[in-house]
Amino acid sequence: MSETTNSPAAGSAGGAPSEVAAPHRYTAVLAADIEARWQDFWEAEGTYEAPNPRGDLAGDAGLAARPKKFIMDMFPYPSGAGLHVGHPLGFIATDVYARYHRMTGHNVLHTLGFDAFGLPAEQYAVQTGTHPRVSTEANIVNMRRQLRRLGLGHDQRRSIETIDPAYYKWTQWIFLQIFNSWYDPEADKARPIDTLVAQFEAGTRPTPDGRSWAELSGTERADVLGQYRLAYASEAPVNWCPGLGTVLANEEVTAEGRSERGNYPVFKAKLRQWNMRITAYADRLLRDLDALDWPEAIKLQQRNWIGRSEGARVDFPVGDSDKITVFTTRQDTLFGATYMVLAPEHPLIAGADNGTGSIVPDAWPEGTHEVWTGGHATPAEAVAAYRKQAAAKSDVERQAEAKDKTGVFTGVFATNPVSGEQVPVFIADYVLMGYGTGAIMAVPAHDSRDFAFARAFELPLRCVVEPTDGRGTDAATWDDAFASYDAKLVNSAGESLSLDGLGVPEAKAEITEWLAANGIGEGTVNYRLRDWLFSRQRYWGEPFPIVYDEDGVAHPLPESMLPLELPEVEDYSPRTFDPDDADTQPETPLSRNEDWVNVELDLGDGRGVQRYRRETNTMPNWAGSCWYELRYLDPNNDDALVDPAVEQYWMGPAEGQPHGGVDLYVGGAEHAVLHLLYARFWSKVLHDLGHVSSVEPFHKLYNQGMIQAYVYRDTRGIAVPAAEVEEHDGGVFYYEGGKVSRLLGKMGKSLKNAVTPDEICVEYGADTLRLYEMAMGPLDVSRPWDTRAVVGQYRLLQRLWRNVVDEATGAVTVVDAEPDEATLRALHKAIDGVTQDMANLRFNTAIAKITELNNHLTKVGGPVSRTVAEQLVRLVAPLAPHIAEELWRKLGHTDSVVHVDFPVADPAYVVDETVTCVVQIKGKVKARLEVAPAISDADLEAVALAEPAVVAALGGAGIRKVIVRAPKLVNIVPA
């Protein structure tokens, strides 16, 4: 763009001289020159390098001795589309915060890496034949260029990429630590698996079948240890997506039962997969949330996801030898259980579709209600048909409140252990195998879903809890909300037990004790949290450092064989199937490279060279982001995950941070459960095993809002280019002559409303973009992008420039004279306010205060005092670092403004000398007094009553009451 155009960036704003008359004016062209020069300078000088206390990144000992501050952004994924202006919001915010803390005497670690494994690169490779590494590395180069242009002060020595074998060597190493660990409930922490083996060998821990450890074969020992390992492979129900050819975690499936990526149907299937035993840490994951400085909404989401509930396990006998075990939080209502429901995947009926179910009979019992059978001739047919129907639904769909409850009778009855009654056993999709035991005792009088099911299948209700508010026991008038009422038990007496008349808490305690005494149950705690499915049938991910011997036993690779690098394959895609074909099995890309899969290795275990088969699944994309904060600390260490002294320095527990962790972690709230929960789990395992001092990875979490943009759609609902839409007639929008609708939403390439940071940098400069994104509103609130409003921050920088530099000559115009008192007050009030705002991430109000000070200087006119100019430049430096660095140099300094001290307010100038006090009589203002800010109520009352205008207004009348709110208000009520 030419400098002589009439664009906001190049034209004369606010009546300023034109470019011809002002060759040294701050323009987009000048900004680009300044920004490029200083970015080169910072990189060459290592301005943002943070020294470690020791090791290859040790540096300035004085800087390392300062208080530390570790500031992080959530890992970006290097998309081929590059950045739009919404992406850098958090990056700019952490950069401002980091710069502020450098200027307040901290050693600041701020860097950024790339979470580069995952599905997008692999899908692109499938479509184009380009190796995922080639496309991903090209995307990283482009993103680094875009981020550098923003002037982000990252320590580039510490930048990492999860696809670098030198990085994922340690991801694999951590996996091995988890695989070789078990959770010891007595120690309440993870311990090496060897300590468990020692217990089995010594006989202090019995084997499942009572044989000695020495009597077990190698395969049997492996199976026993697999029941304890924190990383284990097992046959388990999974979310199988034929359209993607891979299994998905529950969190990767939408509420509609489809894949988040690709929107394909997802089905339940049973496959052998790797899992992480995160459930062992459920209580600690809950407990340690209390000491974290996180948004309460995020803590609540984690608590709900973990879903801790206290209750009891109860066994319901079935026939002569079987039993159905349930978990219930309302064991006091056991007398009210009139039927049972199993999840369709429950093992007691899982074989019913091929006639091998363990409890499903061949024929319906005599007198079976017609509505229970689903119209099928036999129980096996009914169960098989219903299981197929349920498999097509996601867990979210199954838990949703549906108008019509569905299910089918299994053909068997169970015995209610307290009443002795025979209760029918159904299967229904509203019961999930993943929660509790996959079976429930249904108490339809006191649970809304059970009530709806009972009504649909004409099942009996028995009220056993009576609220004391007089509503009685009519189930039609109330539902499961009764649990919160002051209530007592009724209709709950049997031959050996009576709960009648007891309150709910007392009844719970009584029944729990009775169950344990009779060997049919016990008090227990249950969790909604499930073990983490850790396998993906993809190519572009970390290979598992696991091999299998000829007996199928898993063996870890020795550390000397790490990293196990991804091999080359001809076809990057897993085998995909008809999206609706649930009867399919995964086939992974790695399994096609037989030379890589089948190997002869000496694992150093004394067995010599053996034939093995490699694991052909890869780790999920979450693996690399579970621990990256640790690698930032010590990225070049080939001998350890991280030097313990370095980890202790940056992340160790400290006053106010009892669990340690990163000082500030900024990212989107969409990662509340997945990434954050997984990272917390890995951090705790590593802490338990003595590898790190921090118990938690992130002490303070801050969720930035979203930059939104208007989406314009034509009459077909198709998005049209936002930049080409015209507005006419006050809010009516047209594209190519046709009327279009407008709705505020996300910004993105597919919505044709993306604005790139490159565009704004060309038009205004990076400092203007930084200021605008920080000034748009509170950081944690979403806000709409408006390119037309960017010019406001551009003009702020132009006025700042003019207050220091003569636009005609380029000479510095500041003078060494002392500023007047009004300017000193404006300066120090700004310093005081900006300091507080910076420390609390209130960058929009900090910019407002800087603008107010800058406007004051412009309004006063004349040369600006050097003292004021230098402090103003330091105030703006964290927000607009390029122009601040340039002005700092022009003011005669040879050091970088990055490491100079942030201004400190003089308290004498922050407090006003006088405050205006309003004096009212009968609510009407009669006088205004100039008083000291610290004046007492008594002194202010005396001054107000002595004021001649007040005396005259009272006219000798008596005073009934005087209300004083020092120093700003006196309200007089005459008699």
Side-chain angles (χ1 to χ4, degrees):
M1 176 177 290
S2 168
E3 283 189 76
T4 58
T5 65
N6 291 322
S7 73
S12 52
S18 69
E19 263 65 332
V20 175
H24 297 279
R25 187 183 185 202
Y26 185 81
T27 63
V29 173
L30 180 57
D33 173 67
I34 291 172
E35 289 163 5
R37 281 191 290 105
W38 283 109
Q39 288 160 18
D40 289 343
F41 174 86
W42 294 328
E43 184 174 311
E45 295 295 317
T47 301
Y48 303 112
E49 293 178 358
N52 281 344
R54 72 182 189 188
D56 67 311
L57 297 186
D60 185 340
L63 184 55
R66 294 180 179 183
K68 61 87 186 178
K69 191 69 71 171
F70 186 5
I71 300 165
M72 267 183 64
D73 298 278
M74 288 188 183
F75 246 173
Y77 185 85
S79 166
L83 298 174
H84 60 62
V85 292
H87 291 127
L89 177 66
F91 303 156
I92 295 170
T94 54
D95 187 61
V96 173
Y97 191 75
R99 289 176 179 277
Y100 166 73
H101 278 90
R102 283 193 195 94
M103 298 178 73
T104 54
H106 292 80
N107 182 22
V108 177
L109 193 166
H110 188 218
T111 191
L112 194 71
F114 298 91
D115 192 10
F117 275 126
L119 199 55
E122 188 170 278
Q123 288 178 322
Y124 184 76
V126 171
Q127 294 164 8
T128 65
T130 306
H131 194 289
R133 180 174 295 281
V134 173
S135 59
T136 301
E137 289 180 344
N139 295 343
I140 290 174
V141 169
N142 182 52
M143 189 174 285
R144 286 192 192 277
R145 177 193 61 79
Q146 289 185 297
L147 294 172
R148 185 181 191 273
R149 192 168 188 176
L150 297 174
L152 302 178
H154 295 144
D155 185 343
Q156 295 295 345
R157 304 171 305 164
R158 299 174 182 267
S159 185
I160 54 181
E161 301 163 11
T162 56
I163 60 174
D164 182 356
Y167 179 85
Y168 69 71
K169 164 188 174 180
W170 295 103
T171 307
Q172 293 170 336
W173 181 87
I174 295 172
F175 175 84
L176 293 179
Q177 308 311 302
I178 299 173
F179 174 78
N180 285 317
S181 301
W182 66 294
Y183 200 84
D184 184 346
E186 294 184 5
D188 197 22
K189 68 175 187 176
R191 298 178 65 198
I193 200 73
D194 290 346
T195 62
L196 179 64
V197 172
Q199 292 181 16
F200 282 125
E201 289 177 338
T204 56
R205 180 181 294 271
T207 61
D209 64 4
R211 287 184 292 163
S212 70
W213 188 249
E215 292 178 273
L216 302 185
S217 68
T219 302
E220 289 173 325
R221 292 179 184 179
D223 288 342
V224 170
L225 295 178
Q227 298 172 30
Y228 292 86
R229 292 186 187 274
L230 290 179
Y232 65 96
S234 69
E235 291 273 347
V238 297
N239 299 306
W240 166 236
C241 181
L244 289 175
T246 189
V247 298
L248 301 171
N250 288 339
E251 302 84 2
E252 296 170 312
V253 181
T254 68
E256 293 74 34
R258 304 179 77 85
S259 62
E260 274 191 332
R261 290 195 177 275
N263 196 36
Y264 293 110
V266 176
F267 304 94
K268 284 293 182 185
K270 204 162 189 179
L271 299 171
R272 187 168 181 80
Q273 301 290 307
W274 281 98
N275 296 272
M276 291 278 180
R277 208 179 298 276
I278 191 173
T279 49
Y281 281 82
D283 273 330
R284 283 174 60 185
L285 289 168
L286 272 174
R287 186 171 64 238
D288 290 350
L289 281 170
D290 295 337
L292 299 182
D293 186 3
W294 286 19
E296 283 303 317
I298 301 297
K299 289 185 179 183
L300 179 61
Q301 287 184 65
Q302 291 223 344
R303 291 187 179 109
N304 290 342
W305 191 260
I306 295 168
R308 186 183 192 276
S309 52
E310 295 186 12
R313 175 187 60 77
V314 186
D315 294 333
F316 284 67
V318 178
D320 295 330
S321 58
D322 289 313
K323 64 181 179 181
I324 297 173
T325 301
V326 303
F327 169 80
T328 176
T329 59
R330 294 306 307 268
Q331 59 268 39
D332 56 302
T333 64
L334 195 51
F335 280 95
T338 58
Y339 66 97
M340 301 189 76
V341 183
L342 306 183
E345 304 85 6
H346 197 284
L348 285 179
I349 51 93
D353 47 2
N354 57 22
T356 61
S358 61
I359 65 169
V360 178
D362 295 331
W364 294 115
E366 185 177 348
T368 296
H369 199 313
E370 186 177 348
V371 74
W372 294 4
T373 68
H376 294 279
T378 67
E381 291 176 12
V383 169
Y386 190 79
R387 278 164 48 80
K388 187 172 182 180
Q389 172 188 328
K393 294 183 180 180
S394 72
D395 287 356
V396 177
E397 281 182 296
R398 288 168 57 173
Q399 288 182 294
E401 292 295 334
K403 183 178 180 181
D404 299 317
K405 291 296 178 188
T406 63
V408 69
F409 179 43
T410 64
V412 298
F413 290 84
T415 303
N416 185 318
V418 293
S419 68
E421 294 180 353
Q422 294 293 291
V423 294
V425 180
F426 289 77
I427 62 170
D429 61 9
Y430 77 92
V431 177
L432 302 178
M433 198 63 221
Y435 179 76
T437 64
I440 66 164
M441 62 175 211
V443 185
H446 304 302
D447 181 277
S448 57
R449 292 191 305 172
D450 294 347
F451 179 87
F453 190 90
R455 281 288 184 259
F457 288 86
E458 301 178 16
L459 291 158
L461 290 76
R462 180 180 296 110
C463 294
V464 294
V465 183
E466 180 180 4
T468 57
D469 60 1
R471 73 180 63 200
T473 58
D474 181 2
T477 65
W478 50 286
D479 58 23
D480 53 344
F482 80 99
S484 64
Y485 302 139
D486 183 11
K488 65 179 181 180
L489 273 292
V490 296
N491 303 321
S492 297
E495 290 185 7
S496 60
L497 173 71
S498 176
L499 304 178
D500 286 347
L502 296 178
V504 171
E506 294 79 13
K508 283 186 174 183
E510 181 80 14
I511 186 66
T512 301
E513 184 178 339
W514 184 88
L515 289 169
N518 286 272
I520 53 177
E522 63 180 348
T524 188
V525 175
N526 199 58
Y527 301 90
R528 180 178 180 270
L529 180 68
R530 298 295 90 194
D531 280 346
W532 172 16
L533 178 65
F534 201 70
S535 295
R536 295 296 182 273
Q537 290 68 49
R538 311 298 306 193
Y539 169 71
W540 195 232
E542 297 93 339
F544 282 92
I546 293 289
V547 291
Y548 300 91
D549 63 22
E550 293 179 349
D551 294 323
V553 175
H555 296 267
L557 292 181
E559 292 179 23
S560 61
M561 291 186 182
L562 302 182
L564 173 61
E565 297 193 32
L566 270 175
E568 295 299 319
V569 295
E570 293 182 2
D571 182 2
Y572 307 116
S573 59
R575 183 182 177 191
T576 57
F577 304 88
D578 179 337
D580 296 309
D581 187 357
D583 298 321
T584 47
Q585 292 281 322
E587 180 185 298
T588 66
L590 290 181
S591 65
R592 302 183 196 123
N593 189 328
E594 293 189 8
D595 291 340
W596 183 83
V597 173
N598 300 301
V599 291
E600 293 186 353
L601 300 172
D602 183 350
L603 301 181
D605 55 2
R607 289 157 45 99
V609 175
Q610 300 284 320
R611 289 187 58 81
Y612 296 99
R613 176 178 53 84
R614 294 195 191 278
E615 172 63 70
T616 59
N617 287 309
T618 53
M619 298 186 198
N621 61 301
W622 308 105
S625 60
C626 276
W627 71 281
Y628 69 121
E629 72 283 353
L630 296 171
R631 200 58 180 170
Y632 281 154
L633 307 181
D634 202 8
N636 305 320
N637 195 329
D638 292 329
D639 301 320
L641 177 77
V642 61
D643 182 324
V646 172
E647 188 273 336
Q648 174 74 43
Y649 173 83
W650 288 110
M651 291 184 61
E655 185 176 354
Q657 297 180 203
H659 300 317
V662 174
D663 296 293
L664 175 67
Y665 192 40
V666 173
E670 66 272 16
H671 297 295
V673 172
L674 298 179
H675 160 60
L676 292 172
L677 200 60
Y678 297 159
R680 295 182 63 216
F681 166 52
W682 277 34
S683 183
K684 291 181 184 301
V685 175
L686 290 171
H687 171 78
D688 287 354
L689 298 177
H691 300 300
V692 298
S693 65
S694 49
V695 182
E696 289 281 343
F698 314 114
H699 171 68
K700 180 178 178 63
L701 174 69
Y702 191 96
N703 297 130
Q704 86 274 14
M706 180 188 297
I707 290 183
Q708 299 170 303
Y710 286 108
V711 182
Y712 299 89
R713 298 185 184 275
D714 61 20
T715 54
R716 300 167 297 170
I718 297 175
V720 302
E724 299 174 28
V725 171
E726 297 179 352
E727 181 178 0
H728 300 291
D729 308 323
V732 182
F733 302 93
Y734 295 88
Y735 171 70
E736 295 184 345
K739 193 174 180 180
V740 295
S741 64
R742 183 179 81 161
L743 186 67
L744 192 62
K746 288 185 176 181
M747 182 181 287
K749 186 177 180 181
S750 63
L751 298 174
K752 300 182 180 179
N753 62 353
V755 178
T756 70
D758 292 342
E759 294 173 57
I760 303 303
C761 288
V762 167
E763 194 77 7
Y764 299 99
D767 279 341
T768 294
L769 173 62
R770 291 170 60 102
L771 278 175
Y772 176 65
E773 294 214 359
M774 295 298 96
M776 293 171 73
L779 183 59
D780 58 348
V781 174
S782 294
R783 71 294 301 273
W785 176 269
D786 183 359
T787 299
R788 295 170 300 179
V790 177
V791 70
Q793 300 306 316
Y794 177 71
R795 287 173 176 158
L796 166 62
L797 294 180
Q798 288 182 316
R799 287 191 290 272
L800 170 65
W801 183 265
R802 283 198 297 270
N803 278 329
V804 178
V805 178
D806 186 302
E807 293 183 331
T809 66
V812 172
T813 59
V814 300
V815 294
D816 291 328
E818 285 296 313
D820 59 72
E821 188 165 326
T823 297
L824 282 173
R825 291 193 178 280
L827 171 65
H828 287 281
K829 282 186 177 181
I831 293 172
D832 182 61
V834 171
T835 299
Q836 296 180 50
D837 291 341
M838 286 287 188
N840 291 286
L841 300 160
R842 297 193 299 260
F843 304 130
N844 60 318
T845 54
I847 292 170
K849 292 176 176 69
I850 290 170
T851 302
E852 184 178 351
L853 172 61
N854 201 51
N855 289 344
H856 169 86
L857 299 177
T858 302
K859 184 177 180 180
V860 169
V864 175
S865 164
R866 174 177 292 276
T867 300
V868 175
E870 289 188 348
Q871 296 197 72
L872 175 57
V873 167
R874 285 189 281 157
L875 273 184
V876 83
L879 293 151
H882 307 91
I883 192 173
E885 197 78 91
E886 184 76 3
L887 291 175
W888 189 248
R889 187 59 58 94
K890 284 184 176 295
L891 287 167
H893 300 280
T894 56
D895 55 344
S896 170
V897 75
V898 169
H899 290 288
V900 301
D901 292 339
F902 200 74
V904 177
D906 185 337
Y909 291 107
V910 172
V911 180
D912 290 327
E913 284 189 314
T914 62
V915 176
T916 300
C917 175
V918 173
V919 183
Q920 297 177 334
I921 299 177
K922 293 184 178 180
K924 294 184 178 180
V925 177
K926 296 300 180 181
R928 286 184 170 82
L929 311 175
E930 295 299 316
V931 298
I935 192 171
S936 67
D937 285 358
D939 289 344
L940 183 57
E941 178 179 343
V943 171
L945 293 177
E947 170 63 27
V950 173
V951 173
L954 286 171
I959 297 173
R960 183 160 59 92
K961 189 175 184 181
V962 178
I963 302 169
V964 181
R965 297 288 183 269
K968 293 189 175 182
L969 176 68
V970 176
N971 191 14
I972 301 171
V973 182

